[in-house]
Amino acid sequence: MKKIKVGVAGYGVIGQRLADGVALQGDMELVGVADVAPTLSVKALKEKGMPYKFFTAAPERQAELEAAGIPVSGDLDDLVRQSDIMLDATSAGVGAKNKLLYEKYGKKAIFQGGEKNTVADVFFHGYANYEKGVGADFLKLTSCNTTGLIRAVDCLDRAVGVEKVAITIIRRVADPGDYHRGLTNALQIDKAPSHQALDLMTIMPHVEATGILVHTPVTHGHIITVVLTPKKDISVAEALMYFDGHPRIRLVSIDEGFQGNASLFRYARDLGNPRGDMYEIAIWRDSIVKSGRDIMFAINIPQEAVVIPENIDAIRASMKMQLTRDEGTAETNTYLGIGKWKIS
């Protein structure tokens, strides 16, 4: 079996997790990762024995890498030439510049949620519109919040249909270790509607969505509350059944000890998951209630890892490895070990 060769540009919060995710895929080969400087993530890669080849995205700064003892296998051009497809996890705006390089060498690429939608041919989600990405040259993923939100909404939409959703996002203000946001003791509200609601409608145009976003001074995960109007009246028990059947949704409860976002982060660490990562979103059983025909529930979004499976789905779609959402997501889930806890 010929493996698809994948390169990762940007070795930060998302990039290092993308590299790990690709390395787990039995039908893919990670060519290497690229970054501009000996960041803490790159230094940690060296200390782990350089399990992945490193390529410099800023040759003019190679002296810094050499001084830090980072072995360099080439530059970004070399990585792109050696890859079939690139996962671009660079800072917002850099991916659009890198696209010129991908086009130069005739290589496909997948961009993250921070890039503008115009960078790609398809705004992509592994479950909601997989088939639209099949064969596409450039795909853009949704943000972490939108990725998890669409998983839950698409789950019920495929089961009974969804008319509209209204969301409130309680957003962590920064990733762990990010100091540039400052130390705060305040909440900050954005103008409505939130981009996540608008992005959901872009992926799922048949669903009316709106929402509010509140920034909170925490780092381990977002929480989204959803009020969803199904096309067919369903019970709480039925909603639980549909959610429980989704591989990338984990049902939890307060009585089990899952009191909030920090509980889920701690549980992921107790499981021994690298970096405390969790690919699944969590929905609290205790939060699912009805108001008339509307269903309300709360989701935990593990922002550092939630988009990794959908990125792998995007590779499968773009490279025509699997042609349907069921086949593509199933392969991704198998190699990442998603859903195994349901039968353990």
Side-chain angles (χ1 to χ4, degrees):
M1 176 181 64
K2 181 182 180 296
K3 295 186 177 182
I4 298 299
K5 295 182 178 182
V6 183
V8 176
Y11 194 68
V13 172
I14 300 299
Q16 57 187 299
R17 290 168 170 82
L18 289 175
D20 291 350
V22 170
L24 291 172
Q25 306 301 303
D27 49 4
M28 299 179 192
E29 175 188 339
L30 178 67
V31 177
V33 301
D35 213 312
V36 297
T39 62
L40 289 180
S41 297
V42 174
K43 289 177 179 178
L45 183 68
K46 174 183 176 290
E47 192 168 331
K48 289 190 291 186
M50 295 301 293
Y52 311 137
K53 290 182 178 180
F54 182 84
F55 296 76
T56 176
E60 69 277 8
R61 300 182 65 179
Q62 184 150 339
E64 295 178 49
L65 295 164
E66 292 172 350
I70 308 297
V72 177
S73 298
D75 60 19
L76 181 58
D77 286 60
D78 295 321
L79 177 59
V80 175
R81 279 194 295 260
Q82 295 175 35
S83 302
D84 297 316
I85 188 168
M86 291 293 300
L87 292 177
D88 194 296
T90 56
S91 301
V94 177
K97 297 177 182 177
N98 287 344
K99 182 181 178 181
L100 299 175
L101 185 64
Y102 307 146
E103 290 176 323
K104 174 182 175 182
Y105 292 112
K107 300 302 174 76
K108 299 188 175 203
I110 294 160
F111 303 93
Q112 304 310 302
E115 293 294 331
K116 294 181 179 179
N117 291 356
T118 52
V119 78
D121 306 316
V122 177
F123 196 17
F124 181 85
H125 189 280
Y127 278 87
N129 68 346
Y130 182 97
E131 285 79 7
K132 285 189 176 180
V134 172
D137 290 333
F138 299 107
L139 282 69
K140 198 203 94 161
L141 273 291
T142 54
S143 70
C144 53
N145 272 315
T146 311
T147 297
L149 173 65
I150 289 178
R151 281 186 200 169
V153 175
D154 177 73
C155 176
L156 293 186
D157 186 46
R158 290 180 184 275
V160 297
V162 172
E163 289 182 6
K164 60 182 179 179
V165 295
I167 63 173
T168 299
I169 300 176
I170 305 149
R171 184 186 187 276
R172 67 93 182 93
V173 72
D175 287 319
D178 282 355
Y179 290 93
H180 65 280
R181 304 265 185 171
L183 305 176
T184 62
N185 184 30
L187 302 179
Q188 179 181 329
I189 190 166
D190 277 0
K191 292 180 179 179
S194 68
H195 83 78
Q196 292 84 0
L198 301 178
D199 289 348
L200 184 146
M201 288 191 289
T202 302
I203 297 281
M204 305 177 68
H206 58 286
V207 175
E208 181 183 343
T210 192
I212 294 172
L213 186 147
V214 181
H215 299 271
T216 57
V218 298
T219 61
H220 293 312
H222 315 283
I223 290 178
I224 305 177
T225 64
V226 182
V227 180
L228 180 148
T229 305
K231 290 183 178 179
K232 173 188 173 185
D233 192 21
I234 59 173
S235 65
V236 169
E238 287 173 311
L240 281 165
M241 177 185 67
Y242 296 134
F243 288 142
D244 195 38
H246 197 296
R248 296 182 192 172
I249 295 177
R250 178 186 289 259
L251 288 175
V252 300
S253 69
I254 295 171
D255 290 343
E256 292 175 299
F258 293 103
Q259 294 179 295
N261 60 329
S263 304
L264 284 149
F265 181 75
R266 175 179 173 177
Y267 190 64
R269 288 190 299 178
D270 291 344
L271 287 172
N273 293 355
R275 306 184 186 90
D277 287 346
M278 190 171 284
Y279 295 128
E280 306 95 349
I281 61 170
I283 295 179
W284 277 271
R285 297 174 184 270
D286 328 64
S287 72
I288 306 177
V289 293
K290 290 193 68 177
S291 176
R293 193 157 56 94
D294 291 347
I295 295 280
M296 184 175 185
F297 53 92
I299 309 171
N300 183 79
I301 306 289
Q303 83 277 358
E304 296 173 296
V306 70
V307 301
I308 306 306
E310 276 75 7
N311 269 271
I312 305 298
D313 297 340
I315 296 173
R316 298 185 177 282
S318 178
M319 299 302 300
K320 296 184 177 180
M321 299 173 72
Q322 288 82 35
L323 302 182
T324 68
R325 68 185 286 276
D326 290 338
E327 293 173 332
T329 58
E331 286 295 295
T332 298
N333 293 344
T334 296
Y335 287 122
L336 292 181
I338 292 174
K340 63 183 180 182
W341 57 273
K342 290 178 182 282
I343 56 175
S344 62

